[in-house]
């Protein structure tokens, strides 16, 4: 009897492992900015608009497409999404544009936390239990000084340069003609 219980328990355990093996998901999220031990914040300036590409991945042997629900959990005062659901085909990835808009009057040194939650969902499903995968990515946005921009040469500078070149060419021409 004891041996029979061990066999039944082994069969049940193996059945559970095999059933859960089909539920393995290869879904993930990556971002060019992050918090943590070695943070990589987004450094920008007041009045800036920056589009941060969040990369939804359905790789590593994925055999089915997934629908990802993306939601801003923190930082919605500066962050926005074009839409909330994205279809990610099996063995592929999708970039989600997260738009960061810094207020023009944001003081230097202001730090905003942006946190985005992503989870797989079953579109149109009602009731029942649905197992999905979730991930959260977060990063700081630091308001600094606006970088100095190089001013392009204006039209006046271009005309002045052209005039100098013509004058030098004429001087050289007359000097060479005079020597002959």
């Amino acid at each position: 009897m004891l041996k029979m219980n061990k066999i039944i328990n082994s069969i049940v355990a193996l059945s559970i492992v095999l059933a859960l093996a089909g539920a393995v998901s290869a879904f993930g999220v990556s971002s060019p900015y992050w918090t943590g031990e070695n943070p990589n914040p987004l450094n920008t300036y007041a009045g800036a608009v920056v589009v941060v590409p969040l990369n939804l991945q359905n790789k590593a042997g994925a055999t089915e497409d997934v629908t990802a629900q993306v939601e801003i959990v923190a930082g919605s005062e500066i962050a926005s999404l074009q839409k909330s659901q994205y279809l990610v085909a099996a063995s592929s990835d999708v970039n989600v544009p997260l738009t960061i808009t810094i207020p023009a009057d944001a003081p230097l040194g202001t730090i905003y936390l942006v946190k985005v939650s992503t989870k797989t969902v079953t579109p149109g499903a009602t009731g029942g239990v649905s197992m999905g995968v979730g991930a959260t990515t977060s990063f700081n946005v630091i308001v600094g000084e606006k970088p100095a921009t190089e001013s392009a040469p204006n039209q006046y500078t271009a005309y002045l340069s052209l005039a100098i070149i013509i004058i030098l060419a004429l001087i050289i021409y007359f000097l060479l003609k005079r020597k002959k």
Side-chain angles (χ1 to χ4, degrees):
M1 182 70 171
L2 186 59
K3 192 172 187 177
M4 184 61 126
N5 281 343
K6 284 185 178 183
I7 293 173
I8 291 174
N9 287 342
S10 297
I11 291 173
V12 169
L14 181 62
S15 298
I16 290 173
V17 168
L18 290 176
L20 290 177
V24 172
S25 177
F27 181 76
V29 181
S30 67
S31 167
Y33 307 104
W34 59 86
T35 57
E37 193 172 313
N38 295 313
N40 185 30
L42 168 60
N43 292 297
T44 189
Y45 55 91
V49 177
V50 179
V51 177
V52 174
L54 299 179
N55 187 256
L56 306 182
Q57 303 167 1
N58 186 20
K59 295 188 176 186
T63 57
E64 294 183 7
D65 299 349
V66 295
T67 299
Q69 177 78 31
V70 183
E71 177 185 4
I72 298 171
V73 177
S76 59
E77 68 274 16
I78 63 165
S80 62
L81 293 163
Q82 293 175 351
K83 58 184 186 175
S84 61
Q85 287 194 352
Y86 295 85
L87 179 65
V88 186
S91 298
S92 70
D93 57 3
V94 172
N95 278 329
V96 175
L98 176 67
T99 304
I100 306 294
T101 306
I102 306 299
D105 60 350
L108 287 177
T110 303
I111 299 175
Y112 296 98
L113 173 65
V114 174
K115 190 180 234 182
V116 179
S117 171
T118 309
K119 60 185 170 189
T120 59
V121 295
T122 306
T126 57
V129 176
S130 175
M131 291 184 63
V133 176
T136 301
T137 185
S138 61
F139 59 91
N140 288 322
V141 178
I142 302 173
V143 179
E145 301 228 4
K146 185 173 182 176
T149 57
E150 275 188 36
S151 60
N154 60 24
Q155 202 170 13
Y156 174 74
T157 306
Y159 286 135
L160 183 60
S161 299
L162 184 61
I164 290 172
I165 290 171
I166 291 172
I167 291 170
L168 286 173
L170 287 172
I171 291 172
I172 292 171
Y173 173 76
F174 287 117
L175 285 175
L176 289 175
K177 191 174 181 182
R178 194 179 204 195
K179 286 184 179 181
K180 288 184 183 180

